[in-house]
Amino acid sequence: MLGIAAILSASMVSAGTGSVHPGAMSRADAFARAQALTALGRKMFFDTSLSASGKQACSSCHDPHHAFGPASAAPVEMGGPHLDQPGLRAVPSLRYLQAVPAFTEHFYDSEDEGDESVDNGPTGGLTWDGRADCGRDQARIPMLSPFEMANKDAAAVTAGLRKSAYADDFKAAFGDTVFDHPDDAFDAAAEALGTFEQNAPDFYPYSSRYDAFLAGKAALSAQELRGRALFEGETKGNCASCHLSEPANDGEPPQFTDFGLIAVAVPRNPAIPANADPTYFDLGLCGPLRTDFHGRAEYCGLFKTPTLRNVALRKSFFHNGYFHTLRDAVAFYASRDSDPGHWYPKNADGTIRQNDDLPKAYWANLNQDPPFGKKPGDRPALTDPEIDDIVAFLQTLTDADQQAEAVPAN
């Protein structure tokens, strides 16, 4: 296999494209650059020396053996210069992000997917609050976050790159003087990581048993088929209203998300250290990590709807990692409103502290579409056997290369 320098020298350098900002390129040069940056980004992804601690890489939290999500059941991961700083949110998977649109406050369905006159509200972007529009932008966040890789600035990242085993490859891709300009080097590092995260075999293989079923190459069991029907049933799970499960009209495999942001009032997780402060609330789209919508009350409590592909691999669920089994995550949807006492803590007087991680001022933002919207004491939308059926269906969404890592749902 050709090294990065060889790939680049074959065409890119002759075209003057071995730089941070190469300008217009031919199709062949663009392909060669993408191939080189994918290989470079892969090396960076596993490099612990790019963190302040020298012990944390991108792969430390985004484990390729867990669909580029966390291997642990911890609600948040530890980072910082001494790996003693807890994060604020659960680590999402990096798989199947290639189709996520840039964030917009007003998203209208295309003719291909639905009624283009309907405003679906805040949609798109990466991270739990949609504040990064592409992998390149997202890659910047953990490298500088004080509770993740914790580099002080672009110069600190550049120092790590300069000393890396692939420094010559980096210069071949971005120019011999790239390390003399820390901001450029940081931009280049983010671009390489973002390019690697667009590599189809690693990040969107579409190799699950459900994909094979849709292609007519595999069968689902009776329980899995019941689960699919319940998942899609508008008066039952109604999961497919946000987690789209059918191929698009152009034949594109389903992404199992509509890319929207939604408020569901997951119970407050006392295992997150930040939550020890009773005045602290993670309000998603309106802060604290995202700042451009601070004070926009109509956005408080909204979090990204993640893809459910490979969801059976996870050991913690939702933005705060409160639930630790897939079954509990599904059951919460089924009876959040009909049996709130099962999910939320009680006050000293015995009353239920419903929606305890969302201030009452923002309860109007809560999603009330089925299976939500019931009253306490109502029959839940799903029975216990039906919940089991949905979980069985969700287990068909695990990619073929991840099958050995799948864990029991219960």
Side-chain angles (χ1 to χ4, degrees), residues 20 37 63 91 94 161 196 233 256 265 317 322 361 368 375 410:
V20 178
L37 296 195
D63 186 342
V91 174
L94 296 180
L161 292 167
F196 167 56
F256 280 89
F317 298 86
Y322 180 82
Q368 298 294 344
K375 297 178 181 179
N410 297 310

Coordinates of all heavy atoms in Angstrom, one line a residue, residues 20 37 63 91 94 161 196 233 256 265 317 322 361 368 375 410:
V20 N -2.6 23.5 3.2 CA -3.8 23.5 4.0 C -5.0 24.0 3.2 O -6.1 23.5 3.3 CB -3.6 24.4 5.2 CG1 -4.8 24.5 6.1 CG2 -2.4 23.9 6.1
L37 N -5.7 12.0 3.3 CA -6.2 12.6 4.6 C -6.9 11.5 5.4 O -6.9 11.5 6.6 CB -7.1 13.8 4.3 CG -6.4 15.0 3.7 CD1 -7.3 16.2 3.8 CD2 -5.1 15.3 4.3
D63 N -14.8 4.2 20.6 CA -14.2 2.9 20.3 C -14.7 2.2 19.0 O -15.9 2.0 18.9 CB -14.5 2.0 21.5 CG -13.8 0.6 21.5 OD1 -13.3 0.2 20.4 OD2 -13.7 0.0 22.6
V91 N -21.2 10.1 25.6 CA -20.5 10.1 24.3 C -21.4 9.5 23.2 O -21.8 8.4 23.3 CB -19.2 9.4 24.4 CG1 -18.5 9.3 23.1 CG2 -18.3 10.1 25.4
L94 N -20.0 7.9 16.4 CA -19.6 8.6 15.3 C -20.0 7.9 14.0 O -19.8 8.5 12.9 CB -18.1 8.8 15.2 CG -17.5 9.7 16.3 CD1 -16.0 9.8 16.2 CD2 -18.1 11.1 16.4
L161 N 1.5 17.3 17.1 CA 1.6 16.8 15.7 C 3.1 16.9 15.2 O 3.5 16.0 14.5 CB 0.8 17.7 14.8 CG -0.8 17.6 15.0 CD1 -1.5 18.8 14.3 CD2 -1.3 16.3 14.5
F196 N -11.3 11.3 7.6 CA -11.4 9.9 8.1 C -12.8 9.5 8.5 O -13.2 8.4 8.1 CB -10.4 9.7 9.2 CG -10.5 8.4 10.0 CD1 -10.4 7.2 9.3 CD2 -10.7 8.4 11.3 CE1 -10.5 6.0 10.0 CE2 -10.9 7.2 12.0 CZ -10.8 6.0 11.3
G233 N -45.7 1.6 14.2 CA -47.1 1.9 14.4 C -47.4 3.2 15.1 O -46.9 3.5 16.2
F256 N -32.5 6.0 10.4 CA -33.0 5.8 11.7 C -32.9 7.1 12.6 O -32.7 7.1 13.8 CB -32.4 4.6 12.4 CG -33.1 3.3 12.0 CD1 -32.5 2.7 10.9 CD2 -34.2 2.8 12.6 CE1 -33.2 1.5 10.4 CE2 -34.8 1.7 12.1 CZ -34.3 1.0 11.0
A265 N -37.5 14.9 28.3 CA -37.4 14.9 29.8 C -36.9 13.6 30.4 O -37.6 13.0 31.3 CB -38.8 15.3 30.4
F317 N -27.8 5.3 27.8 CA -28.7 5.9 26.7 C -29.1 7.3 27.0 O -29.2 7.7 28.2 CB -29.9 5.0 26.6 CG -29.6 3.6 26.2 CD1 -29.2 2.6 27.1 CD2 -29.5 3.2 24.8 CE1 -28.9 1.3 26.7 CE2 -29.2 1.9 24.4 CZ -28.9 1.0 25.4
Y322 N -28.6 8.2 31.5 CA -29.4 7.8 32.7 C -29.8 6.3 32.6 O -29.6 5.6 33.6 CB -30.7 8.6 32.8 CG -31.5 8.2 34.0 CD1 -31.2 8.7 35.3 CD2 -32.6 7.4 33.9 CE1 -31.9 8.4 36.4 CE2 -33.3 7.0 35.0 CZ -33.0 7.5 36.2 OH -33.7 7.2 37.3
A361 N -40.6 25.9 33.6 CA -40.8 27.0 32.6 C -40.7 26.5 31.2 O -41.2 27.1 30.3 CB -39.8 28.1 32.9
Q368 N -45.2 15.6 22.9 CA -46.4 14.9 23.4 C -47.0 14.0 22.4 O -48.1 13.5 22.5 CB -47.5 16.0 23.8 CG -47.0 16.9 24.9 CD -46.9 16.2 26.3 OE1 -47.3 15.1 26.4 NE2 -46.2 16.8 27.2
K375 N -52.1 10.4 30.4 CA -52.3 10.9 31.8 C -51.9 9.8 32.8 O -52.0 8.6 32.4 CB -53.7 11.4 32.0 CG -54.2 12.5 31.1 CD -55.6 12.9 31.4 CE -56.1 14.1 30.5 NZ -57.5 14.4 30.7
N410 N -31.4 -6.9 28.2 CA -32.1 -6.8 29.5 C -31.1 -6.9 30.6 O -30.1 -7.5 30.5 CB -33.1 -8.0 29.6 CG -34.2 -7.8 28.6 OD1 -34.8 -6.8 28.4 ND2 -34.5 -8.9 27.8

